[in-house]
Amino acid sequence: MRGFLASSIGVTCAAALALPLAPPALAGTERPVPTAEAATTARPAPRAGTPATTTNRTTTTNRTATTTTTNLRAAEPYAPGTTQSLPLESLTQSRATPSAPGTTEQGLPRRAVRGFSLVGVVWDDPEAELHGRVQVRTRTAGTRTWTGWQDIDTHTADHKADPGTAEGTSGRVRGGTAPLWVGRSDGVELRAVPEPDDAEAAPGPNGTGASALPSGLRLELVDPGDAAEAAPLSGDAAETAALPGTPEEVPRTAELNADVSAVTAAEAANAGLAPLGATEIAELSRAETERELYALNAEALMAQLQAKPYVGPRPRIVTRRGWGADEGLREGKFVYTKKVKAAFVHHTASGNGYSCSQAPSLIRSIYRYHVKSMGWRDIGYNFLVDKCGKIYEGRAGGVAKPVLGAHTRGFNSNSMGIAVLGSYGTKKPSSAAVKGIARIAAWKLGLYRMNPRGKTYLKSGGGNLYRKGKKVRLNVISGHRDGFNTSCPGRKLYGKLGSVRSKAAGYQGR
């Protein structure tokens, strides 16, 4: 399979690129709101795509490739986006009854802010967990209507890079909640309440009986940006943009050139599957997929003489350009693992209040949250699927290649992560979404000769279920909870994995 990508680049891309050889709620009553409090405390998040000051190390099982190009193209999608980062404050602290840091309710009173569509909460220590409840309510942009309180999923320690890897030890990584999609909003209120200690355990500090919240809690308000924002602002929009402390993220010339170069590199990683600038990778029949595999991979052709190839038809995939990724956010290099032996299914836990037409904006928001707020090198998932079954390219590096993700702590090597946009603890996933998971799994696993109904062994990189170094027998298509003690991908979606396996096997002709 190693010749799959190398041959494709040789056939379709003449650019000089250093790529590795690898296979392919209820409304509230309006009340006075502070007009600029939030914006005055906002600070731009650090540019996570900038090289870290610490040494960037990779594990021996991974290969790193730095991609450069001189083919700079000026006409790129304009979707800058912004992130407002607001420190939480104590909401219940009293001078008469002082309490230990982190044991009182924290949050933010109602306030007006710049427009945003997704929220999350981060904290300083990436290994710390938030034991408590975080709720947010938002004001729909351009209205006086506030939503009811919505819960933000706080248990997300399982979504990250493996321990000891370059990404996990970069010095930029933070702890954080799952992101929550709230739609276009311009006002926010948040509360974070520590959960009570176990009744049989000793009281918390100062006898509060509450667990401590992590230090450095900040509310992240993410605006995914869109092409319309390239036009000058006017009226209310211009007034909002003039709030003190508004983050300014206008790229300089050098940064713009680097960003365009990053776009070219991300697109060239899919050479042989789609031309540069493509917003989608076209779907193929199974016969066409097999012919493409043989044409690009002599190893697969030799294997055909011994056994029938089982690869699902390549599905239509929206590229990073198609969903509007700002390639200047992520780290420039691509990091690969050896092969793809398993697919871990996830849900983004970002809520179900999005429309399919909003999926690209949601993905841009998650991408920005993962990189700018959480400190990751790129979006964590390899692929994403919306409720209408549309499939999207995730982490950059090539959809046919074994790109190292940050989706299942302890089992990111030799695997891929497929995330369904939404929350599926109590809501059933759509049949279209289930089909989308099966289609991308059948194709990608087929490239690496893996049976969707089969079992495989993966070595744990360390987690709360399996110690580091332990070889674990898993389903080739597993749920996130199979590799880490977590509720992901939600009870309802997890219950559909048997159907996913059967469908994927069928697509492979098994």
Side-chain angles (χ1 to χ4, degrees), residues 204-246:
N206 281 341
T208 60
S211 302
L213 295 171
S215 62
L217 290 170
R218 306 185 71 90
L219 171 64
E220 304 287 291
L221 304 177
V222 179
D223 171 17
D226 55 41
E229 292 182 1
L233 297 175
S234 61
D236 295 339
E239 183 177 343
T240 302
L243 288 173
T246 292

Side-chain angles (χ1 to χ4, degrees), residues 160-302:
K160 61 177 60 176
D162 290 346
T165 60
E167 182 170 8
T169 59
S170 68
R172 296 191 304 266
V173 181
R174 306 180 184 92
T177 68
L180 177 67
W181 177 260
V182 294
R184 194 65 178 168
S185 307
D186 59 12
V188 68
E189 181 178 7
L190 181 121
R191 60 191 183 196
V193 184
E195 69 181 15
D197 282 339
D198 191 300
E200 299 180 0
N206 281 341
T208 60
S211 302
L213 295 171
S215 62
L217 290 170
R218 306 185 71 90
L219 171 64
E220 304 287 291
L221 304 177
V222 179
D223 171 17
D226 55 41
E229 292 182 1
L233 297 175
S234 61
D236 295 339
E239 183 177 343
T240 302
L243 288 173
T246 292
E248 296 181 4
E249 301 190 19
V250 180
R252 299 171 185 157
T253 301
E255 291 176 331
L256 180 59
N257 289 340
D259 290 353
V260 173
S261 178
V263 170
T264 305
E267 294 175 356
N270 288 318
L273 306 181
L276 293 179
T279 59
E280 291 185 346
I281 296 172
E283 65 180 318
L284 301 176
S285 68
R286 189 170 61 177
E288 290 172 329
T289 303
E290 291 179 0
R291 287 197 295 270
E292 179 184 66
L293 179 62
Y294 297 144
L296 299 175
N297 191 353
E299 183 181 342
L301 183 58
M302 293 298 295

Side-chain angles (χ1 to χ4, degrees), residues 67 220 368 423 443 490 505:
T67 330
E220 304 287 291
R368 174 171 280 272
S423 302
W443 175 67

Side-chain angles (χ1 to χ4, degrees), residues 388-477:
C388 292
K390 186 174 287 188
I391 301 165
Y392 302 82
E393 177 183 11
R395 182 164 286 206
V399 295
K401 303 181 196 176
V403 178
L404 182 68
H407 48 83
T408 307
R409 188 178 192 186
F411 292 101
N412 289 306
S413 292
N414 296 329
S415 72
M416 66 174 175
I418 305 170
V420 181
L421 298 172
S423 302
Y424 298 99
T426 59
K427 180 179 177 59
K428 291 182 180 180
S430 67
S431 58
V434 171
K435 181 179 179 181
I437 302 170
R439 292 201 65 189
I440 189 63
W443 175 67
K444 186 67 176 278
L445 291 172
L447 297 180
Y448 296 85
R449 302 178 192 169
M450 299 304 298
N451 184 348
R453 285 203 190 102
K455 303 279 187 178
T456 191
Y457 282 91
L458 293 178
K459 183 183 289 188
S460 173
N464 62 5
L465 276 183
Y466 304 104
R467 61 174 173 79
K468 184 176 182 178
K470 181 178 177 60
K471 291 185 177 181
V472 183
R473 189 169 185 259
L474 296 163
N475 287 309
V476 168
I477 297 181

Side-chain angles (χ1 to χ4, degrees), residues 326-407:
D326 178 355
E327 300 295 353
L329 291 182
R330 62 172 175 83
E331 286 188 1
K333 64 181 177 299
F334 304 141
V335 181
Y336 300 92
T337 186
K338 291 183 177 180
K339 59 184 69 175
V340 178
K341 299 173 62 178
F344 285 99
V345 177
H346 305 257
H347 68 169
T348 58
S350 51
N352 302 307
Y354 73 94
S355 65
C356 291
S357 63
Q358 292 174 319
S361 292
L362 174 52
I363 296 172
R364 288 200 304 276
S365 297
I366 294 174
Y367 170 45
R368 174 171 280 272
Y369 183 71
H370 281 181
V371 176
K372 302 290 281 185
S373 301
M374 300 287 287
W376 299 359
R377 61 184 312 276
D378 195 350
I379 191 169
Y381 310 111
N382 297 102
F383 297 96
L384 301 99
V385 180
D386 68 22
K387 64 177 69 175
C388 292
K390 186 174 287 188
I391 301 165
Y392 302 82
E393 177 183 11
R395 182 164 286 206
V399 295
K401 303 181 196 176
V403 178
L404 182 68
H407 48 83

